[in-house]
mmCIF file of all heavy atoms in Angstrom:
data_model
loop_
_atom_site.group_PDB
_atom_site.id
_atom_site.type_symbol
_atom_site.label_atom_id
_atom_site.label_comp_id
_atom_site.label_asym_id
_atom_site.label_seq_id
_atom_site.Cartn_x
_atom_site.Cartn_y
_atom_site.Cartn_z
ATOM 1 N N ALA A 35 10.565 35.089 -70.283
ATOM 2 C CA ALA A 35 9.468 35.896 -70.546
ATOM 3 C C ALA A 35 9.188 37.015 -69.643
ATOM 4 O O ALA A 35 8.788 38.089 -70.179
ATOM 5 C CB ALA A 35 8.044 34.961 -70.640
ATOM 6 N N LEU A 43 8.447 46.684 -71.355
ATOM 7 C CA LEU A 43 7.503 47.617 -70.823
ATOM 8 C C LEU A 43 8.245 48.851 -70.287
ATOM 9 O O LEU A 43 7.734 49.992 -70.557
ATOM 10 C CB LEU A 43 6.703 46.838 -69.750
ATOM 11 C CG LEU A 43 5.879 47.776 -68.872
ATOM 12 C CD1 LEU A 43 4.710 48.321 -69.865
ATOM 13 C CD2 LEU A 43 5.243 47.011 -67.774
ATOM 14 N N MET A 46 9.348 51.077 -73.304
ATOM 15 C CA MET A 46 8.291 51.651 -73.950
ATOM 16 C C MET A 46 7.616 52.754 -73.189
ATOM 17 O O MET A 46 7.402 53.882 -73.652
ATOM 18 C CB MET A 46 7.204 50.718 -74.317
ATOM 19 C CG MET A 46 7.629 49.704 -75.461
ATOM 20 S SD MET A 46 6.411 48.339 -75.702
ATOM 21 C CE MET A 46 5.029 49.324 -76.295
ATOM 22 N N TYR A 79 23.780 31.360 -75.335
ATOM 23 C CA TYR A 79 24.598 30.407 -76.108
ATOM 24 C C TYR A 79 26.125 30.494 -75.640
ATOM 25 O O TYR A 79 26.693 29.427 -75.383
ATOM 26 C CB TYR A 79 24.507 30.746 -77.592
ATOM 27 C CG TYR A 79 25.355 29.832 -78.350
ATOM 28 C CD1 TYR A 79 24.525 28.558 -78.923
ATOM 29 C CD2 TYR A 79 26.651 29.838 -78.867
ATOM 30 C CE1 TYR A 79 25.187 27.613 -79.761
ATOM 31 C CE2 TYR A 79 27.221 28.917 -79.456
ATOM 32 C CZ TYR A 79 26.625 27.816 -80.074
ATOM 33 O OH TYR A 79 27.278 26.876 -80.775
ATOM 34 N N ALA A 83 27.650 27.459 -73.797
ATOM 35 C CA ALA A 83 28.813 26.711 -74.601
ATOM 36 C C ALA A 83 30.106 26.795 -73.784
ATOM 37 O O ALA A 83 30.898 25.790 -73.711
ATOM 38 C CB ALA A 83 29.030 27.503 -75.933
ATOM 39 N N ALA A 91 36.449 19.690 -70.701
ATOM 40 C CA ALA A 91 37.899 19.625 -70.473
ATOM 41 C C ALA A 91 38.174 18.906 -69.088
ATOM 42 O O ALA A 91 39.090 18.123 -69.039
ATOM 43 C CB ALA A 91 38.331 21.180 -70.433
ATOM 44 N N ARG A 145 30.306 12.812 -61.113
ATOM 45 C CA ARG A 145 29.225 13.017 -60.155
ATOM 46 C C ARG A 145 29.767 13.387 -58.776
ATOM 47 O O ARG A 145 29.336 14.246 -58.053
ATOM 48 C CB ARG A 145 28.226 11.988 -60.139
ATOM 49 C CG ARG A 145 27.366 11.914 -61.372
ATOM 50 C CD ARG A 145 26.340 10.685 -61.313
ATOM 51 N NE ARG A 145 25.555 10.645 -62.383
ATOM 52 C CZ ARG A 145 24.592 9.633 -62.714
ATOM 53 N NH1 ARG A 145 24.549 8.688 -61.797
ATOM 54 N NH2 ARG A 145 23.871 9.727 -63.758
ATOM 55 N N GLY A 149 30.131 17.087 -59.512
ATOM 56 C CA GLY A 149 28.803 17.438 -59.313
ATOM 57 C C GLY A 149 28.121 17.507 -60.547
ATOM 58 O O GLY A 149 27.155 18.233 -60.781
ATOM 59 N N PRO A 158 23.942 24.362 -75.723
ATOM 60 C CA PRO A 158 23.956 25.809 -76.243
ATOM 61 C C PRO A 158 22.846 26.192 -77.072
ATOM 62 O O PRO A 158 22.309 27.259 -76.991
ATOM 63 C CB PRO A 158 25.289 25.932 -76.709
ATOM 64 C CG PRO A 158 26.199 24.771 -76.216
ATOM 65 C CD PRO A 158 25.272 23.654 -76.152
ATOM 66 N N ALA A 162 19.834 28.779 -76.210
ATOM 67 C CA ALA A 162 19.716 29.991 -77.091
ATOM 68 C C ALA A 162 18.372 30.242 -77.626
ATOM 69 O O ALA A 162 17.797 31.233 -77.498
ATOM 70 C CB ALA A 162 20.870 30.118 -78.135
ATOM 71 N N LEU A 192 -1.709 48.003 -68.907
ATOM 72 C CA LEU A 192 -2.570 47.014 -68.285
ATOM 73 C C LEU A 192 -2.451 45.637 -68.604
ATOM 74 O O LEU A 192 -2.353 44.596 -67.831
ATOM 75 C CB LEU A 192 -4.013 47.476 -68.501
ATOM 76 C CG LEU A 192 -4.468 48.856 -67.930
ATOM 77 C CD1 LEU A 192 -5.861 49.215 -68.299
ATOM 78 C CD2 LEU A 192 -4.284 48.732 -66.313
ATOM 79 N N LEU A 198 2.528 40.077 -66.111
ATOM 80 C CA LEU A 198 3.400 40.021 -64.941
ATOM 81 C C LEU A 198 2.896 39.283 -63.858
ATOM 82 O O LEU A 198 3.583 38.480 -63.233
ATOM 83 C CB LEU A 198 3.902 41.408 -64.508
ATOM 84 C CG LEU A 198 4.916 42.186 -65.379
ATOM 85 C CD1 LEU A 198 5.047 43.674 -64.896
ATOM 86 C CD2 LEU A 198 6.228 41.506 -65.363
ATOM 87 N N ALA A 227 9.133 49.471 -61.984
ATOM 88 C CA ALA A 227 10.124 49.718 -63.141
ATOM 89 C C ALA A 227 9.633 50.556 -64.160
ATOM 90 O O ALA A 227 10.213 51.550 -64.721
ATOM 91 C CB ALA A 227 10.585 48.450 -63.656
#
Side-chain angles (χ1 to χ4, degrees):
L43 174 63
M46 291 174 63
Y79 184 92
R145 287 178 175 174
L192 292 176
L198 286 170

